[in-house]
């Protein structure tokens, strides 16, 4: 919940989050961020161990811009962040 509040107050060029978090899960956090009128275009990248096709679909339905599964190579992570944070 604190991360969602921080995005609402400050804005970020890109948000990285896990699906499994204390409190609300990453899917709900992503939906909340995307529902904010002034933050709907904030890129959200899921970085998680949840790798089933169902989990990836849930991420897409929640509005995440990219879904990466752990372990992720540093170069791939940097590529995705650069792509989505560009121009923000």
């Amino acid at each position: 919940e604190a991360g969602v509040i921080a995005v609402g107050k400050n804005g970020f060029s890109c948000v990285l989050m896990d699906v499994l978090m204390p409190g609300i899960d990453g899917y709900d956090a992503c939906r909340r961020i995307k529902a904010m009128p002034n933050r709907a275009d904030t890129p959200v990248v899921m970085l998680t161990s949840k790798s089933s096709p169902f989990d990836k679909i849930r991420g897409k339905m929640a509005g995440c811009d990219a879904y990466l599964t752990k372990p992720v190579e540093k170069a791939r992570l940097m590529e995705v962040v650069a792509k989505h944070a560009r121009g923000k």
Side-chain angles (χ1 to χ4, degrees), residues 26-67:
Y27 303 123
D28 192 28
C30 182
R31 279 190 289 276
R32 290 181 188 192
I33 291 168
K34 295 297 187 170
M36 295 176 188
N38 60 335
R39 302 290 182 240
D41 64 343
T42 300
V44 176
V45 176
M46 297 284 190
L47 179 58
T48 183
S49 62
K50 306 280 284 178
S51 61
S52 78
F54 178 72
D55 292 313
K56 293 176 183 179
I57 290 169
R58 286 185 70 194
K60 192 61 140 174
M61 290 174 62
C64 78
D65 297 275
Y67 194 100

Side-chain angles (χ1 to χ4, degrees), residues 62-80:
C64 78
D65 297 275
Y67 194 100
L68 300 174
T69 55
K70 298 175 188 175
V72 63
E73 292 184 18
K74 182 179 177 181
R76 176 69 178 139
L77 176 61
M78 299 307 291
E79 172 189 336
V80 169

